[in-house]
Amino acid sequence: MNFDNKKYSKVLADYEVHCNWVSQATALLKQEAPDLKLIRIRDLESDYVKWFEYYFPNYAKKKCAWFHRELAELIINNKRLRLLAEMFRSAGKSVHIDMGIPLFLYLAKNDLKFMLLIGENEKKAKQLLSGIQAQLQYNNRLKNDYGEKFQHGDWAEGDFTTIDGVKFMSLGFNQNPRGVREQAERPDYIAVDDVDSKKHVKNDTLMREAVDFITEDVWGCFDSDEDGTERFVYANNNFHKNSITNRLKVYFKSVIDGIEEEDDEDLDSDADDEEEIEMDDTTFKVLTVCAVKDLINFEPEWIEKTSAKYWRRKYRRMPRRSFMREYMHVHIEDGSIFKYEDILYRAPLPLDQYDALCVYGDLSYKDKGDFKGMGLLGKKGREFDIIHVFLRQKSRAKVAAWLYDLYEDQNLKGLNISYWIEGLFAQDEFVNDFDIEGDKRGYYVPVVPDKRSKADKADRIEGMSGHFERHNVFFNEKKTKDIIVLVDQFLGFEKGSAINDDGPDFVQGALSKLNMRTRQRESKYRFGARILRKF
């Protein structure tokens, strides 16, 4: 080991600081009688969450969430397990999967012999392993209740063993794990933690090979024993459809669905067959946890740690696509149809200088579930300006109030603007929302439903890409929150995607209406001469 390496020296120094922190945080408060001590230990061992919060107070500054308990119960209660923990960033997955749960299995349940921990690279894997070694060596509460356990080896080498022969080992992702063993013991607990990389998701070959590495090389480390223990846990947030995480999720779901179908078929089989299937079965499970339950109330899943106010503020202060990828497992692939380089901004013209102006809305049928989108767009020559935008998960009444405010603030009364809302169904109900707002203000904005029969929405939206590629569409350079959301929806748009497309949909409707108005105005016919028609 090269101790002159400055980076390595810093890692060692950080580890020493961490160990001191562990020791100080777990100082014993009082002596206790042996019988009372035994009762306390047995009580703690009856509940993983209680056990974790007592022995690791420096990590348990906030109470564990419901999903930490479910995660632990899945792992502890299933000796043959393939678990994908699809959990948002900062969900505390690593501290439980890489340290708390394996130490509980080892010390409280005597149900762990060999843990293999795989990180994104060798350095990160060793640092993850250092957390366990630090606890075994310096956690006073663990040592008081379970005795000295650390024997030899070093996390810096990615390998150490306890006094009673339990082995802990780390590898970087794609390091060869074949032949990994400790005498006759093979790994019985394998954790793969945060190995996905944004650098590689667009390389299909690398992603396929990564999945194969897990399902072949890593799973192959388990002992081929019908009664053997095989706990495998993969933890990551699911940020891209081509990621390792999402590919594994698709595979896990297919296995789970297949098992359910087999179970349905086996209902008619005899008892012996059912018992044999049960014995051979390995539990596949996907545990999905997002940061919040929805983007309306922002109720957090880990309510003991963060508030709805915290997440609402975080959502508003970062690009929506980033929030959805990192905290909600929603895949927003930038620029699949609409490219970054084609998203242009500029200051709009004075409204009376446009060839045509149009307000168009896509109001959805759900009161608050989907985005309600409406915008004022203008056309000058071949170019379109997206001038003012409303794009929020609000009620239709909020959209109506926004339109009337815009009408008054921008003095739209004297301008030749057409006002449309999309929808062949429930037009009366939709228009009524605007009339109700008009009743309050004593005048009416002439909103009418667009009754045209339309092609598939995704095809219509994709059909706009030509305008963007020719650099004929411009967003208002005053990047309001609504415009930022609209840009995110354009960048994330892809046919078949679960990404909201209410913004691009109302823009497409507006562009179509603007083209119709200017086409009718500018079309000229001359017999005997060929002229250019301007669109």
Side-chain angles (χ1 to χ4, degrees):
M1 187 68 63
N2 181 9
F3 286 93
D4 294 328
N5 186 296
K6 291 184 178 180
K7 290 184 178 179
Y8 182 70
S9 297
K10 185 179 185 307
V11 171
L12 285 178
D14 291 343
Y15 179 69
E16 291 178 1
V17 171
H18 176 72
C19 291
N20 290 331
W21 177 57
V22 170
S23 180
Q24 293 172 10
T26 58
L28 299 175
L29 299 179
K30 62 180 180 179
Q31 296 292 328
E32 57 187 333
D35 55 338
L36 295 178
K37 177 180 176 180
L38 183 61
I39 292 173
R40 175 181 55 78
I41 293 173
R42 294 293 176 261
D43 178 60
L44 292 172
E45 290 180 342
S46 68
D47 184 334
Y48 167 76
V49 168
K50 188 187 299 183
W51 188 89
F52 176 84
E53 291 177 351
Y54 172 77
Y55 289 106
F56 308 103
N58 44 343
Y59 288 102
K61 294 178 181 179
K62 303 291 184 181
K63 292 289 185 180
C64 291
W66 66 267
F67 55 84
H68 295 135
R69 181 180 296 279
E70 182 170 337
L71 177 70
E73 290 177 351
L74 279 169
I75 297 173
I76 294 164
N77 296 332
N78 291 281
K79 297 177 76 71
R80 299 178 70 87
L81 175 69
R82 303 288 188 271
L83 172 62
L84 190 151
E86 180 188 46
M87 299 165 69
F88 66 95
R89 293 188 67 179
S90 74
K93 53 186 177 293
S94 295
V95 71
H96 288 280
I97 292 169
D98 301 345
M99 187 190 73
I101 295 172
L103 284 177
F104 182 80
L105 288 169
Y106 165 41
L107 297 171
K109 296 297 184 182
N110 191 27
D111 195 18
L112 184 141
K113 298 298 182 185
F114 188 161
M115 175 181 177
L116 176 61
L117 179 55
I118 299 176
E120 182 182 1
N121 53 51
E122 185 177 7
K123 178 183 176 182
K124 288 185 178 181
K126 290 177 178 178
Q127 288 179 327
L128 290 171
L129 192 67
S130 72
I132 292 181
Q133 183 172 331
Q135 297 297 333
L136 292 176
Q137 283 189 281
Y138 297 98
N139 187 312
N140 294 303
R141 294 186 181 183
L142 285 179
K143 291 196 294 181
N144 178 65
D145 291 351
Y146 296 101
E148 295 284 350
K149 291 296 184 181
F150 180 79
Q151 183 177 17
H152 63 81
D154 192 349
W155 64 269
E157 299 291 345
D159 191 337
F160 70 87
T161 305
T162 65
I163 288 174
D164 43 1
V166 175
K167 185 177 182 66
F168 295 87
M169 183 177 178
S170 67
L171 290 174
F173 197 72
N174 280 327
Q175 279 189 282
N176 186 6
R178 293 177 180 270
V180 169
R181 65 171 62 242
E182 175 70 7
Q183 297 182 12
E185 296 289 345
R186 283 181 171 272
D188 58 0
Y189 184 100
I190 301 178
V192 179
D193 188 359
D194 275 335
V195 297
D196 248 330
S197 170
K198 291 182 179 180
K199 297 178 181 178
H200 301 143
V201 290
K202 293 187 179 180
N203 189 318
D204 188 64
T205 300
L206 284 178
M207 292 295 95
R208 286 202 315 270
E209 291 175 349
V211 173
D212 290 344
F213 172 75
I214 291 172
T215 59
E216 297 172 10
D217 299 68
V218 174
W219 289 0
C221 292
F222 290 121
D223 195 0
S224 298
D225 184 345
E226 189 173 12
D227 299 323
T229 299
E230 299 183 8
R231 290 184 172 101
F232 171 83
V233 187
Y234 177 99
N236 222 109
N237 64 311
N238 191 344
F239 61 85
H240 197 282
K241 69 176 183 178
N242 292 327
S243 65
I244 302 170
T245 306
N246 198 57
R247 287 169 182 257
L248 277 178
K249 181 179 180 180
V250 171
Y251 171 66
F252 274 43
K253 288 290 190 181
S254 70
V255 173
I256 293 168
D257 291 343
I259 291 173
E260 290 175 352
E261 290 177 5
E262 288 178 5
D263 289 344
D264 290 339
E265 294 172 0
D266 292 333
L267 289 176
D268 297 328
S269 64
D270 58 39
D272 292 338
D273 289 339
E274 290 182 5
E275 184 178 352
E276 183 176 347
I277 291 172
E278 178 118 5
M279 287 175 58
D280 290 344
D281 190 28
T282 296
T283 300
F284 279 75
K285 179 70 176 179
V286 176
L287 176 61
T288 299
V289 184
C290 298
V292 296
K293 294 182 179 180
D294 58 57
L295 299 180
I296 300 171
N297 299 314
F298 287 89
E299 182 181 349
E301 292 289 0
W302 193 352
I303 59 175
E304 299 83 357
K305 182 181 180 182
T306 50
S307 64
K309 180 179 178 181
Y310 169 86
W311 286 113
R312 187 179 291 108
R313 184 169 61 245
K314 194 175 192 71
Y315 174 76
R316 290 172 177 174
R317 293 181 180 180
M318 66 187 297
R320 183 175 186 275
R321 62 182 180 278
S322 299
F323 186 92
M324 300 302 286
R325 288 191 295 230
E326 299 296 338
Y327 298 106
M328 301 300 288
H329 314 301
V330 174
H331 307 141
I332 299 181
E333 188 176 352
D334 292 342
S336 179
I337 303 297
F338 298 91
K339 309 296 183 183
Y340 259 126
E341 57 268 25
D342 297 330
I343 302 296
L344 306 177
Y345 300 87
R346 72 180 182 189
L349 297 170
L351 296 181
D352 59 2
Q353 292 186 18
Y354 286 100
D355 298 331
L357 290 164
C358 174
V359 169
Y360 201 97
D362 177 9
L363 305 188
S364 172
Y365 291 92
K366 298 178 182 178
D367 187 35
K368 291 186 179 180
D370 289 343
F371 279 81
K372 308 298 186 295
M374 179 170 274
L376 171 62
L377 282 76
K379 184 180 181 185
K380 181 70 174 180
R382 295 179 178 177
E383 297 178 346
F384 303 89
D385 279 332
I386 301 173
I387 305 167
H388 296 288
V389 170
F390 179 100
L391 188 56
R392 306 169 198 170
Q393 289 174 302
K394 299 292 185 179
S395 66
R396 294 193 300 269
K398 293 289 187 182
V399 187
W402 173 85
L403 176 60
Y404 275 80
D405 288 342
L406 181 72
Y407 189 87
E408 295 170 2
D409 295 342
Q410 300 299 316
N411 194 24
L412 304 185
K413 180 179 179 181
L415 298 171
N416 185 15
I417 303 175
S418 58
Y419 298 86
W420 301 90
I421 56 172
E422 180 182 1
L424 290 174
F425 307 100
Q427 296 113 339
D428 292 340
E429 178 186 348
F430 281 20
V431 171
N432 190 49
D433 291 310
F434 293 90
D435 289 346
I436 291 173
E437 186 65 28
D439 291 340
K440 298 177 184 177
R441 307 204 186 202
Y443 68 94
Y444 300 95
V445 175
V447 177
V448 294
D450 184 2
K451 299 181 180 180
R452 295 174 301 159
S453 177
K454 298 181 180 180
D456 176 75
K457 180 165 73 169
D459 291 337
R460 287 189 281 112
I461 294 173
E462 187 169 344
M464 283 191 293
S465 61
H467 293 299
F468 283 78
E469 291 169 6
R470 296 186 188 98
H471 291 181
N472 286 336
V473 179
F474 298 86
F475 295 86
N476 193 329
E477 66 181 10
K478 293 183 178 179
K479 300 177 184 177
T480 64
K481 290 184 293 185
D482 302 77
I483 286 179
I484 291 171
V485 172
L486 177 59
V487 169
D488 284 345
Q489 290 191 5
F490 268 108
L491 291 173
F493 172 78
E494 184 177 6
K495 190 170 185 178
S497 170
I499 302 304
N500 294 99
D501 55 13
D502 306 279
D505 193 25
F506 86 70
V507 171
Q508 189 278 329
L511 263 59
S512 176
K513 289 295 184 182
L514 289 170
N515 278 332
M516 289 176 63
R517 292 188 67 187
T518 54
R519 183 181 301 124
Q520 293 168 359
R521 184 181 304 164
E522 297 173 4
S523 293
K524 297 178 181 179
Y525 299 91
R526 295 179 185 172
F527 293 99
R530 182 172 181 264
I531 67 167
L532 293 176
R533 294 178 65 194
K534 184 178 181 183
F535 291 91

